[in-house]
Amino acid sequence: MKLAYSAALAALLPVTAVLAEQPVTINFAAEIGGQPFACDATFNGLGTSNAEVNGTDFRLYASDVAMIATDGSRVPVTLTETAFQHDGTALLDFEDGSAACANGTAAVNTALTGTVPEGDYTGVSFKVGVPFEMNHGDPTVAPTPLNLTSMFWNWRGGYKFVRIDMVPTDRNADGPKGWFLHLGSTMCPSDGKTDAPAAPCKNANLMEVTFDGFDSATQVLVIDPAPVVAEVDLRANTPETSPGCMSFPNDPDCNTVLPKLGLSFNDFAAGEQQLIAVR
């Protein structure tokens, strides 16, 4: 009798459908000025002085990855746990530690991989950056890929969300070390550089990327800093500031750069991000 009652009761309970998952791979390519990035290559015609540069680093973090369904809804991607992906945050790494990239590592990663519920998807969205709750820990004890001190400023500032380093081939020995694009959070409230902020940073600088038209099976996302630095002289730097643009407030070298990352900077309004495009 009890078994019959239990079976009847179970038949009345709502059934929760379990959606099947499908794999997704979002491929990326790194270029400088339209030329594929390589640590032993030179790249020409950059910035206002048409500089020739070596690329010495090319890495960035991505998080909050989602596919865009045909109805416009945003469906989160569950990133696979790998050496380059942990807890929804991933590192895209295009340098291989060779030639000019001596500050890097041998392993590379050029794709985001994971799963989404079965369905039809026509776009992609993600943030370039590390979420606040993961951004201000100790990289020496953090899991990979958050264990790279070369991608970390300090506890207060957190990680470098983007690190693209370029060094002009005709650099003056007494001039800037190079032109470095480092994006990260700024104006973070803490007592010191070794203290993590208790509240979110005033300038989170999480870069939003959305492409409504993107087919992950046939297209790639191309990362190229050339449009971002089109209005700066890569051979020059404002005195008493960090080389290039490192996101710090009141650095004039960032005036035309951060707006091209889709971010406002001081009195300069955010524009459309120009770092990443679909091909």
Side-chain angles (χ1 to χ4, degrees), residues 173-188:
D174 298 326
K177 296 179 180 179
W179 208 97
F180 307 146
L181 175 56
H182 293 181
L183 177 67
S185 299
T186 62
M187 299 188 73
C188 306

Side-chain angles (χ1 to χ4, degrees), residues 61-217:
Y61 284 105
S63 58
D64 197 17
V65 184
M67 301 303 292
I68 300 173
T70 52
D71 64 0
S73 62
R74 191 175 174 279
V75 181
V77 174
T78 301
L79 293 181
T80 306
E81 290 288 314
T82 71
F84 286 97
Q85 300 183 161
H86 174 68
D87 198 17
T89 296
L91 176 69
L92 293 165
D93 186 344
F94 301 93
E95 55 72 37
D96 60 9
S98 69
C101 302
N103 192 52
T105 59
V108 299
N109 181 52
T110 64
L112 303 176
T113 58
T115 59
V116 288
E118 279 190 350
D120 295 323
Y121 300 99
T122 58
V124 65
S125 72
F126 58 93
K127 291 183 175 72
V128 173
V130 177
F132 174 76
E133 59 272 15
M134 300 173 68
N135 192 33
H136 302 278
D138 184 348
T140 64
V141 297
T144 180
L146 296 171
N147 59 345
L148 296 169
T149 55
S150 57
M151 291 294 292
F152 191 76
W153 275 329
N154 49 50
W155 281 262
R156 179 166 62 191
Y159 289 89
K160 301 171 186 177
F161 302 159
V162 174
R163 179 170 185 165
I164 301 177
D165 295 351
M166 296 171 283
V167 178
T169 57
D170 62 351
R171 182 179 71 87
N172 188 313
D174 298 326
K177 296 179 180 179
W179 208 97
F180 307 146
L181 175 56
H182 293 181
L183 177 67
S185 299
T186 62
M187 299 188 73
C188 306
S190 76
D191 293 331
K193 292 182 178 181
T194 57
D195 297 307
C201 306
K202 181 177 180 180
N203 300 324
N205 287 340
L206 287 165
M207 179 181 155
E208 302 268 359
V209 179
T210 299
F211 295 107
D212 292 323
F214 173 72
D215 183 351
S216 62

Side-chain angles (χ1 to χ4, degrees), residues 179-183 237 242-248 251 253-255 257-258 261 265:
W179 208 97
F180 307 146
L181 175 56
H182 293 181
L183 177 67
N237 192 72
S242 300
C245 171
M246 296 195 182
S247 313
F248 302 134
D251 183 351
D253 296 306
C254 291
N255 288 349
V257 173
L258 261 67
L261 297 178
F265 181 74

